[in-house]
Amino acid sequence: MKGIVMEIKGEDLVVLNKSGEYMKMKKQGRSVCVGQELDFAGGGKRKWAARRLTALAASFLIFVGAGAGGYAYYTPEGYVDVDINPGIEISYNRWDKVIKVSGTNEEGERVLKAAGNLKNRGVGKAMKMILEAAEVEEFLSDDSENFVSVFVSGKNNSENLEKAQNAIRNYHAQTGLRFSYNAETGSMEKYKAFKAEAAGLEITPGKLNLLKKAYGEYQMGRYTIEGKEYENFNQFAAAYGGKSVK
């Protein structure tokens, strides 16, 4: 059974389930916040002992305060755009928890399917799971340097960029895979403008960002590459350059 956390008092939680019933249960050491969706039953057996709240007054007060909490949890406060060639967009809330992920190209959707459920994870953990899935799907190579572009916009963008960078560094230490990366922060307005323009060009926001840096301003519906051609995105990224993790 799934439910939304409506109130937290010490080790006690009040959860609203899909049947509209309020349940009281213990945190049991879990890190949770108001508005978070929890799965507190599985395989026909309850994970947490729960009891229904019968006091009408308590239910009313919880309901009044819960709406704002639930809305806040699912309101995007920032985005992490990841480009490995698979393109992926992560939306996170004010608590830096992932609330939505989407592929910005077919390869990105493939990686997300392999990664599993990223919702309610921290940005660093989500980045690690994306790298793992990208390796499983053979988008990361142990024969050459792998390029990753990361652009973080919105609330806590510097902190979340650092979490993403740490995930890349740690994955290098764990697997021995070599990475170079372009890592940036910016406003949500800048990211949304990049996203809209990239959609019109049928490329990912990460690639558009690098194209603008490498080749200057966008003109007349296309980029002038000045005769330079690259067989793949990694070659283009290597020509652009970035911070290496070896």
Side-chain angles (χ1 to χ4, degrees), residues 7 29 35 51-53 82 96 98-99 104 109 122 132 143 147 152 197 199-200 202 205 215 218 224 227 234:
E7 189 176 62
R51 61 183 178 85
R52 190 175 304 174
L53 294 179
V82 182
D96 298 336
V98 176
I99 55 175
T104 53
E109 293 289 353
E132 290 172 340
D143 296 327
F147 185 83
V152 185
E197 187 176 353
E202 298 183 348
Y215 301 120
Y218 172 63
T224 301
N234 278 343

Side-chain angles (χ1 to χ4, degrees), residues 25-168:
M25 59 193 66
K26 296 292 184 181
K27 289 172 64 176
Q28 294 188 340
R30 296 179 180 232
S31 177
V32 297
C33 59
V34 171
Q36 182 174 344
E37 184 179 56
L38 296 178
D39 185 354
F40 56 91
K45 183 178 180 181
R46 293 201 173 189
K47 295 180 181 178
W48 295 352
R51 61 183 178 85
R52 190 175 304 174
L53 294 179
T54 57
L56 180 60
S59 297
F60 177 76
L61 289 174
I62 293 164
F63 179 78
V64 170
Y71 177 79
Y73 189 85
Y74 290 104
T75 299
E77 294 286 343
Y79 298 90
V80 182
D81 181 82
V82 182
D83 205 315
I84 311 172
N85 189 31
I88 294 168
E89 179 187 83
I90 299 171
S91 305
Y92 62 87
N93 62 18
R94 68 174 62 181
W95 295 279
D96 298 336
K97 297 295 185 182
V98 176
I99 55 175
K100 184 180 179 181
V101 291
S102 59
T104 53
N105 56 17
E106 291 183 5
E107 292 87 351
E109 293 289 353
R110 181 174 149 192
V111 167
L112 288 178
K113 184 176 180 180
N117 186 16
L118 301 182
K119 288 185 179 180
N120 302 317
R121 309 278 188 178
V123 169
K125 176 63 175 177
M127 187 69 188
K128 178 177 183 289
M129 294 171 69
I130 288 169
L131 292 172
E132 290 172 340
E135 184 178 9
V136 169
E137 294 298 314
E138 299 183 347
F139 289 111
L140 297 179
S141 171
D142 56 6
D143 296 327
S144 60
E145 196 167 84
N146 300 282
F147 185 83
V148 183
S149 173
V150 182
F151 186 90
V152 185
S153 60
K155 185 177 183 292
N156 297 336
N157 54 21
S158 296
E159 294 88 339
N160 284 312
L161 180 65
E162 183 64 24
K163 292 174 185 176
Q165 289 176 292
N166 285 338
I168 297 171

